[in-house]
Amino acid sequence: DSAAPERHDVTPVIGLEIHVQLLTETKIFCGCPNRFNPDEPNTQTCPVCLGFPGALPVMNRTAIEWTVKLGLALGCEIAPRAVFARKNYFYPDLPKGYQISQFEIPVVQGGSIPIVSPTRGEIVVRLTRAHLEEDAGKSLHEDFHGMTGIDLNRAGTPLLEIVTEPDLRSSDEAVAYAKALHGIVRWIGICDGNMQEGSFRCDANVSVRRPGEPLGTRCEIKNLNSFRFMQEAIEFELRRQVALIEDGGKVVQETRL
Ligand code: ADP
Ligand code: MG
Ligand code: ZN
């Protein structure tokens, strides 16, 4: 049936948001040590990273310097003035009810990373922005019966969120980009790149597009913590969306775990 659209008529469209934990000695807004420490919960905390009323955050100079360093490495525009904002949401691992992040003026914008695509050769992946924010705490579901524990050692870890334009066209390209960025942040010495410990975490935004049509509706897959999982999750999501569309359905914008 020549009227029916064929499978290969659709192009995958992928944009990545990668969270990089900066390896500074102290947290982003207080003097607490910034070390991965899952063994003794809530020992690396203070009124600032616990978000007590009246606590005053003080910017970690190194976190800004390292963000600028990455911006210079990737050809980004460095903002002479950046602004932090409170992003209000409630989640158990964020008991203070807001995350300090950047919205209107991030430290760096633009820039790009060249990668080699197995199908398209050398391509340039454009970066939208990289903004600084604080990491949240962690929920512990296994240690307590019928209850969830909260460990706030991670709260206030400096996080750099690096966002790409939707320039990637396959899971292979997404992985190639993530590996390139992973190499760069370790090379310039701002992140240890330990994906198992969560130092480098990827969210993938995935959609499919028919030729000549505008971008399709995307789904976001959160917290991919290995390159293999990233590849498999994107492949799975592309197959799911293509099957849905071939069945006459519509992709609904959502976050998928
Ligand atoms: P939000 O603020 O909801 O996270 P953004 O506009 O910041 O939305 O986009 C987040 C990510 O989604 C970016 O990496 C962007 O490239 C990607 N993206 C946007 N639209 C699409 C789309 N139609 N398909 C795939 N990825 C997309
Ligand atoms: Mg986003
Ligand atoms: Zn603290």
Side-chain angles (χ1 to χ4, degrees), residues 191-210:
C191 173
D192 64 17
N194 190 325
M195 295 179 79
Q196 246 157 7
E197 291 180 358
S199 306
F200 189 93
R201 319 194 286 264
C202 308
D203 300 342
N205 294 271
V206 178
S207 68
V208 293
R209 167 158 73 166
R210 289 209 173 100

Side-chain angles (χ1 to χ4, degrees), residues 19-20 26 59 68 88 112 122 132 162 167 189 192 202 205 207 210 215 220 231 246:
H19 286 96
V20 169
T26 53
M59 186 68 224
V68 170
N88 294 282
S112 62
E122 184 161 316
L132 267 174
I162 301 151
D167 284 349
D192 64 17
C202 308
N205 294 271
S207 68
R210 289 209 173 100
L215 290 187
E220 185 175 16
Q231 181 121 37
E246 284 182 344

